[in-house]
Amino acid sequence: MVRAGLSTERLVLAGAELADEAGFDQVTVSALARRFDVKVASLYSHLKSSRDLKTRIALLALEELADRAAEALAGRAGKDALRAFADAYRDYAREHPGRYQAARFRLDPETAAASAGGRHAQMTRAILRGYDLTEPEQTHAVRMLGSVFHGYVDLEAAGGFSHSAPDSQESWTRILDALDALLRAWPAP
Amino acid sequence: MVRAGLSTERLVLAGAELADEAGFDQVTVSALARRFDVKVASLYSHLKSSRDLKTRIALLALEELADRAAEALAGRAGKDALRAFADAYRDYAREHPGRYQAARFRLDPETAAASAGGRHAQMTRAILRGYDLTEPEQTHAVRMLGSVFHGYVDLEAAGGFSHSAPDSQESWTRILDALDALLRAWPAP
DNA sequence: GTGTATGCCTAATATGCTTAGGCAAGTGCC
DNA sequence: GGCACTTGCCTAAGCATATTAGGCATACAC
């Protein structure tokens, strides 16, 4: 019997691909076993559980997303940085819908703390260096930007903006314009 | 054998309660059957499927949410309306986390079209009457507000703002202030 | 009171998750 | 090359959920 050559990394990667193809909720150990033409139980040498698999895919997605955002941010500032960062986010979600869903998977607190989640907040804060905000207003702004990006991408993925004018791309552009204007004229408390 | 007195409405309502107590993903026909001390198969006279159950809970939540938002909006305008509407949204999500999750359940297009989803967009548009935006800027603003509200509530529910200063309530207030300022000074295209 | 509709049941099938224990393919040592 | 040992994948079995088919008894209509 030829061995399939399973490993945790290969399984997680295949799981991420499966998520993008069929949706994160279709990611099951059974589906993964079928994909490798292997019996389900065989995966349990490499994965602790179904939840373990999902957690690892989520961590992968968070990492990839942070990498992309970091690359987008490099060498940019102000509105340019804002746009590049936001686009990195949105593009990732459009190219990898399943992975993006995975990134929204509820991790347990300690896993979340060790994840790339912190980098995301850090980068959002970096964008704000191009604007003139004091603490704690900066934190409020970080939270607002995170909300808009996540909320928009999520609603767009849900098809919220698909069958109506104007184009989603146009709204996205205008919203980023508006956010830039807002950050430049952030109201005093 | 005493009959349990099942009905679609009772099941949906119990499902919504179960969602709030244990999370929307814990809502299963099996769990619901246990709750009524009845065999699982018995539910299938009242529900087409597990997905049917979830869909109905989602529609209930969308309806309740729209009702609350409408009540909040009544007799208000401008920033006052913005705050009341946003708070209705956030409060509902905090009081009924499972129902709120349900409201985010991906409905098939035709069900979505017949849902209370349209009322939500309509009300958001009504808020904007208090500001001076032309079409299509108004649509962009509707989408932005939807994104912020949904995004913030979602991140808050995920615990994103819980273990860090400043207080989530404070950020929420400041973000609404900022949105009001933005809508009053919406940048030209 | 009898007839009938219907509410809940038993039974059976399918999919998915998980653990326990076995065999054989690969690895290291002589 | 032959040996022991590790380990990768297997069979087997148990448990939960979803769903359908068909049965019996309760509740209501007349």
Side-chain angles (χ1 to χ4, degrees), chain B residues 29-57:
Chain B
V29 280
S30 302
L32 211 48
R34 277 193 293 276
R35 185 167 271 235
F36 281 93
D37 200 22
V38 135
K39 297 298 169 184
V40 185
S42 306
L43 303 194
Y44 282 81
S45 322
H46 307 280
L47 301 169
K48 279 216 300 284
S49 66
S50 177
R51 182 174 176 80
D52 180 41
L53 169 64
K54 287 176 188 153
T55 299
R56 286 174 189 275
I57 297 174

Side-chain angles (χ1 to χ4, degrees), chain B:
Chain B
M1 186 154 305
V2 180
R3 296 196 175 180
L6 303 182
S7 73
T8 305
E9 298 87 81
R10 284 193 65 195
L11 288 172
V12 171
L13 214 54
E17 281 161 23
L18 178 58
D20 285 336
E21 290 163 20
F24 186 58
D25 45 322
Q26 297 301 308
V27 174
T28 66
V29 280
S30 302
L32 211 48
R34 277 193 293 276
R35 185 167 271 235
F36 281 93
D37 200 22
V38 135
K39 297 298 169 184
V40 185
S42 306
L43 303 194
Y44 282 81
S45 322
H46 307 280
L47 301 169
K48 279 216 300 284
S49 66
S50 177
R51 182 174 176 80
D52 180 41
L53 169 64
K54 287 176 188 153
T55 299
R56 286 174 189 275
I57 297 174
L59 291 174
L60 170 70
L62 285 170
E63 203 76 48
E64 288 183 350
L65 195 46
D67 288 346
R68 282 210 188 191
E71 191 175 355
L73 227 47
R76 296 186 213 268
K79 185 174 184 179
D80 199 29
L82 181 69
R83 280 210 57 132
F85 182 78
D87 279 338
Y89 224 81
R90 177 162 175 254
D91 290 345
Y92 185 79
R94 285 148 63 101
E95 286 168 37
H96 298 293
R99 280 164 153 101
Y100 185 78
Q101 266 185 282
R104 310 274 341 121
F105 182 65
R106 198 69 67 83
L107 302 171
D108 54 288
E110 65 179 79
T111 309
S115 77
R119 283 173 70 201
H120 291 262
Q122 216 48 50
M123 286 187 284
T124 311
R125 209 166 274 275
I127 292 173
L128 294 180
R129 278 203 280 274
Y131 299 90
D132 196 30
L133 294 179
T134 60
E135 270 302 352
E137 294 305 306
Q138 204 172 89
T139 302
H140 301 321
V142 165
R143 290 172 176 181
M144 190 186 82
L145 289 182
S147 300
V148 180
F149 298 160
H150 163 52
Y152 193 93
V153 164
D154 208 53
L155 292 177
E156 187 176 36
F161 311 144
S162 48
H163 297 306
S164 56
D167 201 69
S168 179
Q169 175 59 46
E170 200 184 320
S171 285
W172 180 247
T173 304
R174 291 296 297 134
I175 288 173
L176 291 179
D177 289 345
L179 287 175
D180 172 64
L182 173 59
L183 291 172
R184 277 191 279 106
W186 189 263

Side-chain angles (χ1 to χ4, degrees), chain A residues 68-181:
Chain A
R68 283 209 187 192
E71 192 175 355
L73 227 46
R76 295 185 214 269
K79 184 174 183 179
D80 199 30
L82 180 70
R83 280 210 57 132
F85 182 78
D87 279 339
Y89 224 83
R90 177 163 174 254
D91 290 346
Y92 185 80
R94 285 150 63 102
E95 286 167 37
H96 298 292
R99 280 165 154 99
Y100 185 77
Q101 266 185 281
R104 311 274 342 120
F105 183 66
R106 199 68 68 85
L107 302 171
D108 53 287
E110 65 179 79
T111 309
S115 78
R119 283 172 69 199
H120 291 262
Q122 215 48 50
M123 287 187 282
T124 311
R125 209 165 275 273
I127 292 173
L128 294 181
R129 279 203 280 275
Y131 300 91
D132 197 30
L133 294 178
T134 60
E135 270 300 352
E137 294 305 307
Q138 205 173 89
T139 301
H140 302 321
V142 165
R143 289 172 176 181
M144 190 184 83
L145 289 182
S147 299
V148 180
F149 297 160
H150 164 51
Y152 193 93
V153 165
D154 206 55
L155 292 177
E156 187 176 35
F161 310 143
S162 49
H163 297 307
S164 55
D167 201 69
S168 179
Q169 175 60 47
E170 200 183 320
S171 285
W172 181 247
T173 303
R174 291 296 297 134
I175 287 172
L176 292 179
D177 288 345
L179 287 176
D180 171 65

Side-chain angles (χ1 to χ4, degrees), chain A residues 35-97:
Chain A
R35 185 167 271 235
F36 282 92
D37 200 23
V38 136
K39 298 298 170 184
V40 186
S42 306
L43 303 195
Y44 281 80
S45 323
H46 308 280
L47 301 169
K48 282 216 298 281
S49 65
S50 177
R51 183 174 176 81
D52 180 41
L53 168 64
K54 288 177 187 152
T55 299
R56 287 173 188 275
I57 297 174
L59 292 174
L60 171 70
L62 286 170
E63 203 75 48
E64 288 183 350
L65 195 46
D67 288 346
R68 283 209 187 192
E71 192 175 355
L73 227 46
R76 295 185 214 269
K79 184 174 183 179
D80 199 30
L82 180 70
R83 280 210 57 132
F85 182 78
D87 279 339
Y89 224 83
R90 177 163 174 254
D91 290 346
Y92 185 80
R94 285 150 63 102
E95 286 167 37
H96 298 292

